[in-house]
Amino acid sequence: MYASRTAPDVHAARRASAPDVRRPSWCVSTAHRTAKRPLDGRRVGTVRSTTVIRETGGRARPHDEGRGVAKVGKDPWIRSLRGTADVRARVVFFPHAGGAASFYAPFARRFPDGYDVAAVQYPGRQERWEEPFVTTVEGLADRLLPSLRRWAPEPVPLVLVGHSMGASVAFESTLRLGHDRLTAHCRLVVSGRAAPSVTREAQAFDSDQELLDHLARLGGTDPAILSSPDLMDLALPAVRNDYRAVTRYRPAPDAVVETPVLCLTGDRDPQVTPEEAAAWKSHTTAGFRLETLPGGHFFLSDHQDTVVRLVAACAEAGDR
């Protein structure tokens, strides 16, 4: 099919008067004052606030509760970003480490008519703030499987799109759908992630400051957010959990899916070399395509129209 190409003590009044800053993808839908979360993900001493930080395509602003928040369906694992009565294709986005479903709201608005677009919402963030984290990539895929099973048998394309850690979760989810023989109409899009067969030493961070410095180098979070102790106290538990999950992830190096794979990568991504991205070709028995876009690890944020065009082309290119 494809040819390869080259917080504790966060005051509502303070938030309401804060200047606009670039949206952190992990930001909670409803702010909380909370004690530190234990490693098992349980929450201690939570007080609900009435101020919402609305996530709107790169900006974070205080808003009245309920305004401008993407629709949340009955399934807590799937947040609907764009619905349609006459479904031509379904797209499900899988967020990066520390990320949340609302990161993909700006992408959803760019799809053609007939595309039903949703994003996975991991526990421990936004409307699932009070829930314990899932501590492994495989565990996330296992918990997501019932949500994806309901769509996979439909005779329309189902495109799973994952960025960074989300690529691993999407890959594991596709493997599980394949075990159930439910991938006839599936496609997999992986972004900002080395292939499962690539062996790389896991990154270790000895302190929160080292982790914050790493996030700053990746460029996905505005420096104003990283320098705010209040906001980072809200963000760091999810980031720590997800980075631990990535570190523990040990995929089978010979695992393959039976779906077409589109790999997106940034030409200056410090996390993924061109060879590591191209190695995804060995993990599918169907078609493969590699697209390199300008940028670093979060290149997709600067090329939303292009990413949507490539995902839509993947959906419409055929089942094999």
Side-chain angles (χ1 to χ4, degrees), residues 13 16 41 77-78 80 83 90 103 203 245 247-248 259 289-290 305:
W77 284 91
I78 304 293
S80 175
R90 294 191 189 276
F103 179 85
Q203 293 175 295
T247 300
R248 295 167 179 162
T259 62
R289 180 176 179 178
L290 173 64
D305 288 328

Side-chain angles (χ1 to χ4, degrees), residues 162-174:
H163 180 69
S164 198
M165 182 189 80
S168 297
V169 181
F171 178 69
E172 290 290 334
S173 297
T174 305

Side-chain angles (χ1 to χ4, degrees), residues 255-280:
V256 295
V257 296
E258 298 179 348
T259 62
V261 173
L262 167 64
C263 179
L264 306 178
T265 189
D267 62 1
R268 300 186 304 279
D269 188 347
Q271 301 290 99
V272 186
T273 68
E275 295 77 18
E276 290 171 339
W280 277 101

Side-chain angles (χ1 to χ4, degrees), residues 66 165 176 187 216 220-221 232 244 280:
M165 182 189 80
R176 284 155 175 75
R187 297 98 165 90
T221 308
M232 290 316 302
R244 282 195 296 267
W280 277 101

Side-chain angles (χ1 to χ4, degrees), residues 107-190:
F107 294 83
R109 294 190 288 268
R110 290 168 162 78
F111 277 90
D113 291 342
Y115 275 73
D116 185 278
V117 184
V120 171
Q121 188 71 297
Y122 306 135
R125 60 214 78 195
Q126 297 191 329
E127 71 275 4
R128 303 189 71 184
W129 178 253
E130 306 253 359
E131 299 180 40
F133 296 123
V134 176
T135 58
T136 66
V137 168
E138 296 89 343
L140 285 168
D142 288 340
R143 300 282 295 277
L144 271 165
L145 190 57
S147 302
L148 300 174
R149 276 194 186 121
R150 75 174 190 257
W151 287 325
E154 295 178 348
V156 297
L158 173 62
V159 188
L160 308 186
V161 186
H163 180 69
S164 198
M165 182 189 80
S168 297
V169 181
F171 178 69
E172 290 290 334
S173 297
T174 305
L175 287 173
R176 284 155 175 75
L177 289 173
H179 294 157
D180 291 343
R181 300 184 181 276
L182 291 174
T183 57
H185 304 291
C186 288
R187 297 98 165 90
L188 174 63
V189 180
V190 292

Side-chain angles (χ1 to χ4, degrees), residues 49-60:
S49 168
T50 59
T51 300
V52 172
I53 297 178
R54 185 176 71 174
E55 306 202 273
T56 54
R59 309 292 286 181

